[in-house]
Structure formats: structure tokens, C-alpha cells
Amino acid sequence: MAGGAREVLTLQLGHFAGFVGTHWWNQQDAALGRATDAKEPPGELCPDVLYRTGRTLHGQETYTPRLILMDLKGSLSSLKEEGGLYRDKQLDAAIAWCVHFLYLSSGLPPLTTSATPKPLIPTEGSIRVWSDFLRVHLHPRSICMIRITITMRRDASLGSVGSGFGQGESVLKEPKLHFYVEECDYLQILCDLHDGFSGVGAKAQRCYKMKFRARDITWGLLPGPYHRGGETRIPVGTLLNADSFGLVHLTAHSSLVCPLSLDGSLGLRPEPPVNFPYLHYDATLPFHCSAILATALDTFTAPYRLCSSPVSMVQLAGMLSFCGKKVVTAGATIPFPLAPGQSLPDSLLQLGGATPWTPLSACGDPSGTRCFAQSVVLRGIDRACHTSQLTPGTPPPSSLHACTTGEEVLAQYLQQQQPKVMSSSHLLLTPCRVVPPYPQLFSSHSPQAVESIPVFGALCSSSSLHRTLEALAGDLTKVDVRRWASFMDAGVEHDDVAELLQELRSLAQCYQDGD
């Protein structure tokens, strides 16, 4: 592998994580297809970081995601539990291990079977679960199922909003996810935070803490408004799971945790979903929300997937998480606005002094907050646009226009925006692929569908987390956990909540402005 061994194992835990992950793997697959085109220049991103080569018992070579996913019964739709690579029952039986699955009531509508194969590119109206639009072949051992012998009420199944963090923890009695582990150097977890899967993620972290010590990142995923079913208040179950037990326990065992959501806030009273000036999306559709978050994720993770001079996951986490700041916020401009004939200095100058990206961590408006450290990626800008092409003798309209490289332009822009912030920045030629089944969210006057877009994204250790975490602690003091039977059934007691409050407030203190 270029740049040394940097293999990453991805754990994908939960139903919304399945939506985000499916879009993300589809984007990797589209980029792989692009890279095999002889007309394309060598890629900047190394697919071996996320993929592994293999061979079936029949000698067929394979290249599949280094992935283990978990979800509820019903989420596979027409996808086989053993994947679709081998298409041989005897071979499947020989290769497939003794996997377990979440045989729980998922609340999904009943599935119907049909002899007619589903279309290669499904329509939005036909998509009910993430496997409906998955275009990537998975290894037989990627789909992990957990059988649960205990009986849960329908309203407290692991993937429901009312399910408890402790119930998720109890699912992983033993470390069952050893496949891939020995061949990997790093771990990234895509984990639902709003239900019991937050407990599954925390337990998985503890299982592999020694193996991946200081070499892991957790992306905590929160669905948009669609999961509230029209409620004007965020369910208390979500507050207890995501905003409290899940966030605190995941932070305790991970090198870095980043919540990702299109919601405006994490508290009991929701704010409107975030707005993207150049996107038309439906915040009530998980298919749309997950596509946007996957595009951001594909950009945030680029530094440790680079072919040349990569930033390791250890370096990225270390830069952002100093002084106990292990939770970071995310933001992105999707797509990055670069009008025809404009240069990068022109476009950055037009952004003005405001924060250039839309917040993606449900921490409210970042205006007036302080950034302690940030990792920034701008991708998809043609090299010819990196610098200003001024006529000789023309005075540059700004210091950005006087820069001689695109990297210098970006670094100077960030220095002007945040003068005292430790910043790591990357400027990539590679755009983000958005070919079908990615939804067409882009306002374009061109009759042709958009296939790739430039994206500007950042991970930031921000003082906004002090305000957000303190507000969560305040909301939690108003909750009587004894009224939530699913938490009591999982062994959560009043003292646990009191300890949680203390840990939440201690975490918030790390982000006080002026630290």
C-alpha cells in the first residue's frame, strides 16, 4: 500500500448509519470506476485504505470494503445475508462464518418478494431501506447479525428511539467482530446515536480498545427531523441515548468523536434543519439527509486516505483532541461555489468574513464561537483555477490573489479567518462523485445530471461545544429516568444519570472560551 500500512476497518452500526454508509460506499465505488479509466490521471486517494483484496474458493479475485455492519431484521431487503459475490450456496456455506443478527422488530413495513429483479438504479419512491440502493458487493462476513434471546417490547427494540443505551451494550456479550481486525491498523465507527446502537458502539470500542489504542475515530450519526414523526420536541429517549449516555461513553473510549446531523440542535427543543444555499433537499427523507452527510464524510476522511503524504488517523485525532477535547464539530459547503471564469481567490473572497460552511453537528449557529484547532479539506477545484490569472502589471485585489499556489491561497485564507488557530489544510483535485443512485439535490441550469461536485469541509474543536454540552446537561436535569422503562430494564439507575451529568459537564469545561 502506498504510504505504508494504513488499513482501516469500518464498523457501521444502525439503520441510519446504514443509509449514510451505503451512500459513502457507493461514492467509493464510483471513484474506483473512474480511476480505472485510462484517460484519468492517477488518483489522489488510496482505495486500499478502505478496501481489501481477496479470492473466492473458485479462484475469483475480489475487492471489497473492509466493513462490518449491523442492523435490524428487515433492513436487508433483497440483499443476501452472505452478500452477492459468490452466488453459490455450497461456497457461501463454506465461507460464511457463524454470524448473528439483530432479530428484532424493526418497525419497517412488511417485505414482499418478487421474481422480478430490482432495477440497477432504484427510484427514490422505491427506496425504503439502505440495501435498496447499495451498489457495492460485500464480503460474506461483512453483514453481522446478533440474535437476542431476551424479549423486548415493540416500542423498545434496539433500533427504536425509545430503546436504551444499556440495551445496546447488552447485545455484545462477547467480542464477535474479530474478522478483519488482525489485518487492520485503524478503526472508524459509523454509529447511530439516537437509539440503542450507541450502546453497541461503546461496547465495540471497549472490545477493541487495546488493539486500536489512539487509532480510532467515531462518527456519531443523528437522523434529521424525519425520525421525530412530526413531534415538536426531541424524544427523551434520543436525549438520553445520543445526547448523554452515547456521547459520553463513546468519548471515553474513542480517540475522537464527531456528531453528524442536519438537525439544528441536540436539545429537547429542536431547531429547524440546516440550510444549504446550493442544495434542494427534503429533511424528512433519510435518503436525502444521509447522502449529504456521506458527502461530507467522504471529504473529512480524505487526509488519512491520501496516496501521498497522508495524515494518519493518530495525527488527525491528536491535533484536534488536545487538552481533553475529544469531541469535534463538523461543517461543509456542498457544493463549493466556483462560478465559471472565477479563481479560487475570487470565490473565497466572496465568502466574506462569515463561517464558510454549514454546521453539521447540531451545535447551533457557530457565529461568535472560538475554534481551537481545525482540519480543512477543499476538493474538486481544477488546478487552472487555484490562483488568480491577473494581467501583468495589475495590482492584486487582495493578498489571496498574490499567492502563487492553491495551497498557499487556502492556508492564507484560513489564517485570515482564524489567526490563532492550529490548522491542517488539504487542497485536492479529486471531486466528490454524486452519480446515481445519489439523489439529484443540485440546483443546476444544465440539462445534464451532475456527476461530481467540489466540496469544502472542516472538522473543528470549537467552543460551541461548551454551550451545547452545558445545554444538554440542563435538559437532562429535567428528565425523570424512572418514567423510561426501557432504560430501567437495562439497569440504568438514578445514580448513573447523576454520574452522567457530572461527566457531561466536565467534558463541557474543556471547551470554555479562553482555554
Side-chain angles (χ1 to χ4, degrees):
M1 176 186 293
R6 296 181 281 126
E7 293 89 347
V8 173
L9 169 62
T10 301
L11 298 186
Q12 191 172 292
L13 310 175
H15 194 60
F16 188 62
F19 268 84
V20 175
T22 295
H23 277 299
W24 191 52
W25 291 114
N26 285 347
Q27 289 176 319
Q28 309 314 307
D29 187 63
L32 280 174
R34 185 95 173 179
T36 58
D37 189 337
K39 299 178 182 179
E40 289 294 315
E44 295 171 293
L45 301 176
C46 179
D48 291 346
V49 173
L50 301 175
Y51 280 72
R52 70 190 297 273
T53 57
R55 190 180 295 273
T56 70
L57 295 183
H58 288 333
Q60 175 191 3
E61 291 187 357
T62 61
Y63 196 55
T64 55
R66 198 177 290 106
L67 165 70
I68 295 176
L69 64 86
M70 298 169 58
D71 198 359
L72 303 179
K73 178 184 178 182
S75 296
L76 294 185
S77 188
S78 60
L79 178 67
K80 295 181 181 179
E81 292 179 13
E82 67 275 7
L85 269 181
Y86 302 98
R87 303 185 185 282
D88 183 319
K89 291 184 178 179
Q90 291 183 344
L91 184 61
D92 292 337
I95 294 181
W97 65 332
C98 180
V99 296
H100 303 273
F101 201 75
L102 309 175
Y103 272 108
L104 298 171
S105 168
S106 64
L108 297 169
L111 298 176
T112 58
T113 59
S114 171
T116 305
K118 63 182 180 182
L120 183 62
I121 300 178
T123 61
E124 287 194 19
S126 68
I127 292 172
R128 298 180 300 113
V129 293
W130 52 262
S131 56
D132 286 335
F133 63 100
L134 177 68
R135 302 191 67 183
V136 180
H137 285 302
L138 301 180
H139 190 279
R141 299 188 183 184
S142 281
I143 302 175
C144 181
M145 299 180 170
I146 297 176
R147 298 182 187 276
I148 297 180
T149 55
I150 62 173
T151 301
M152 291 186 183
R153 295 179 306 278
R154 182 177 179 85
D155 64 344
S157 65
L158 190 61
S160 69
V161 170
S163 66
F165 173 89
Q167 288 176 324
E169 279 198 313
S170 68
V171 166
L172 285 180
K173 295 292 186 183
E174 302 285 343
K176 300 242 182 224
L177 310 178
H178 286 309
F179 188 66
Y180 296 135
V181 168
E182 294 306 319
E183 67 182 50
C184 298
D185 298 286
Y186 300 97
L187 174 69
Q188 64 179 4
I189 300 178
L190 279 64
C191 177
D192 283 3
L193 283 182
H194 63 293
D195 54 31
F197 278 105
S198 59
V200 177
K203 186 65 176 287
Q205 284 179 333
R206 291 201 297 275
C207 288
Y208 299 119
K209 187 170 183 178
M210 294 304 297
K211 165 64 181 175
F212 297 109
R213 183 180 297 275
R215 290 178 290 138
D216 64 292
I217 292 179
T218 299
W219 307 96
L221 302 168
L222 287 160
Y226 78 86
H227 81 285
R228 295 198 295 268
E231 295 184 26
T232 57
R233 290 170 61 90
I234 289 178
V236 172
T238 296
L239 180 74
L240 287 167
N241 278 311
D243 310 345
S244 308
F245 283 100
L247 190 58
V248 166
H249 284 264
L250 289 170
T251 301
H253 299 288
S254 182
S255 303
L256 198 70
V257 176
C258 180
L260 291 176
S261 176
L262 299 187
D263 260 343
S265 69
L266 289 176
L268 278 174
R269 296 197 174 277
E271 298 292 332
V274 296
N275 175 60
F276 292 86
Y278 307 104
L279 291 183
H280 299 295
Y281 81 100
D282 186 344
T284 66
L285 295 179
F287 183 60
H288 283 191
C289 295
S290 57
I292 295 171
L293 293 180
T295 300
L297 182 67
D298 192 45
T299 301
F300 302 146
T301 59
Y304 57 81
R305 297 189 288 126
L306 292 171
C307 289
S308 177
S309 303
V311 175
S312 73
M313 199 178 285
V314 173
Q315 292 169 319
L316 181 64
M319 183 193 76
L320 293 171
S321 64
F322 65 96
C323 298
K325 300 178 178 69
K326 293 170 67 176
V327 182
V328 295
T329 62
T333 301
I334 306 174
F336 179 75
L338 187 68
Q342 268 193 333
S343 67
L344 178 57
D346 295 332
S347 186
L348 291 174
L349 207 61
Q350 284 186 352
L351 294 176
T355 303
W357 33 71
T358 298
L360 295 178
S361 293
C363 289
D365 185 357
S367 300
T369 60
R370 178 187 172 192
C371 178
F372 302 105
Q374 61 185 356
S375 170
V376 178
V377 177
L378 176 56
R379 60 186 302 186
I381 306 298
D382 189 86
R383 194 182 301 277
C385 301
H386 283 186
T387 57
S388 178
Q389 304 298 322
L390 295 174
T391 305
T394 304
S398 74
S399 59
L400 298 183
H401 289 78
C403 295
T404 57
T405 67
E407 289 76 10
E408 186 182 348
V409 171
L410 180 57
Q412 189 163 135
Y413 169 77
L414 295 175
Q415 175 66 20
Q416 291 174 358
Q417 289 289 104
Q418 304 275 2
K420 299 181 180 180
V421 174
M422 179 168 53
S423 295
S424 168
S425 60
H426 292 85
L427 180 62
L428 307 181
L429 301 176
T430 308
C432 190
R433 300 284 288 165
V434 290
V435 297
Y438 194 98
Q440 284 299 315
L441 309 177
F442 313 101
S443 51
S444 173
H445 299 293
S446 172
Q448 295 181 336
V450 177
E451 293 189 348
S452 62
I453 57 170
V455 179
F456 195 19
L459 298 177
C460 179
S461 176
S462 168
S463 64
S464 65
L465 283 161
H466 177 261
R467 175 187 62 198
T468 299
L469 295 173
E470 283 286 358
L472 289 179
D475 283 344
L476 196 59
T477 59
K478 305 172 186 176
V479 174
D480 183 358
V481 73
R482 293 170 295 184
R483 297 179 56 189
W484 290 84
S486 60
F487 284 88
M488 303 301 292
D489 291 346
V492 176
E493 299 179 357
H494 188 271
D495 288 346
D496 297 321
V497 179
E499 182 179 350
L500 177 68
L501 271 170
Q502 182 177 352
E503 292 177 349
L504 202 56
R505 285 177 168 144
S506 295
L507 185 59
Q509 293 308 305
C510 296
Y511 298 91
Q512 275 192 303
D513 197 9
D515 186 350

